[in-house]
Amino acid sequence: MHYTFSELIWLVLIYSFLGWFIETIVGTIRKKKFVNRGFSSGPFCFIYGTAALIMIISLEDLENQPFFLFLGCMIIATTIEWFAGKILERMNQRKWWDYSDKKWNFDGYICFQYTVLWGVLGVICLKYGNPLLFSLYSRIPGPITSIIVWVLMGYVLLDTVVSMAAALHLRTFEASQSRI
């Protein structure tokens, strides 16, 4: 299937929001207080949207081969999780998550338990989530979907730029304070 730019952005935004939502609920329950699990201040966790986008584009031919689809989802999601962990640590001088206490972890960023979970979630999203989301997307009149996607994309870009600036400013501020 060939996707339009708007359809792909729609899926990235939805999966980024769903990832943020689930992570925030789990973090809030564990800490017993609200925890925003995304990098940006808005309700998006782009590691999920990015993984979904790459899976959608690269694993389409495996949709009727569940075992290989599962393996592909595991590999893509785990690779993205490791790179995202490394990048976020370099940007913020701290780990955003740490699986060091989990069995069969690598570098504290990935572990077998979550690799299997990402594979299962990837298969569910590709086999069931995408058809549902495209069904919802197709029910919204064409011009409105474009407006929604472009407005949300603008919001996300602005939020990401502001969040990155804040993170870099905080790091610069902390470095200047340590010299005093």
Side-chain angles (χ1 to χ4, degrees):
M1 179 175 179
H2 289 86
Y3 303 99
T4 67
F5 179 75
S6 283
E7 289 170 336
L8 290 174
I9 296 301
W10 165 261
L11 290 173
V12 168
L13 293 171
I14 296 293
Y15 285 124
S16 294
F17 172 76
L18 291 173
W20 172 86
F21 185 73
I22 292 167
E23 289 255 350
T24 298
I25 287 174
V26 170
T28 298
I29 290 170
R30 284 186 180 160
K31 300 272 185 183
K32 295 182 173 74
K33 68 177 187 169
F34 179 76
V35 177
N36 181 4
R37 292 290 296 164
F39 170 75
S40 62
S41 58
F44 296 100
C45 210
F46 293 108
I47 188 171
Y48 291 96
T50 302
L53 177 66
I54 293 172
M55 287 176 194
I56 290 163
I57 292 169
S58 63
L59 300 178
E60 184 178 0
D61 294 342
L62 298 177
E63 190 171 310
N64 295 320
Q65 299 177 30
F67 177 73
F68 292 107
L69 181 62
F70 171 73
L71 286 179
C73 290
M74 281 185 3
I75 291 167
I76 288 169
T78 300
T79 302
I80 290 170
E81 183 178 34
W82 186 81
F83 277 107
K86 284 294 201 184
I87 290 167
L88 285 170
E89 182 179 8
R90 292 235 164 101
M91 283 177 58
N92 297 290
Q93 306 300 311
R94 69 178 179 92
K95 278 191 172 187
W96 280 63
W97 62 87
D98 190 356
Y99 300 146
S100 297
D101 62 332
K102 305 274 186 211
K103 199 172 194 180
W104 298 319
N105 80 82
F106 177 71
D107 212 14
Y109 291 113
I110 57 175
C111 68
F112 183 72
Q113 166 186 343
Y114 284 108
T115 295
V116 171
L117 176 64
W118 303 145
V120 170
L121 289 175
V123 169
I124 290 169
C125 288
L126 294 177
K127 299 248 337 145
Y128 307 105
N130 287 354
L132 173 66
L133 293 172
F134 277 123
S135 172
L136 292 172
Y137 182 86
S138 68
R139 293 171 194 233
I140 303 169
I144 295 175
T145 55
S146 292
I147 292 169
I148 290 170
V149 166
W150 283 103
V151 167
L152 284 174
M153 208 167 79
Y155 165 76
V156 164
L157 289 173
L158 180 63
D159 186 35
T160 302
V161 167
V162 169
S163 297
M164 288 181 77
L168 293 173
H169 175 71
L170 181 61
R171 195 168 82 195
T172 304
F173 177 76
E174 288 174 348
S176 68
Q177 292 299 311
S178 67
R179 286 187 234 135
I180 297 177

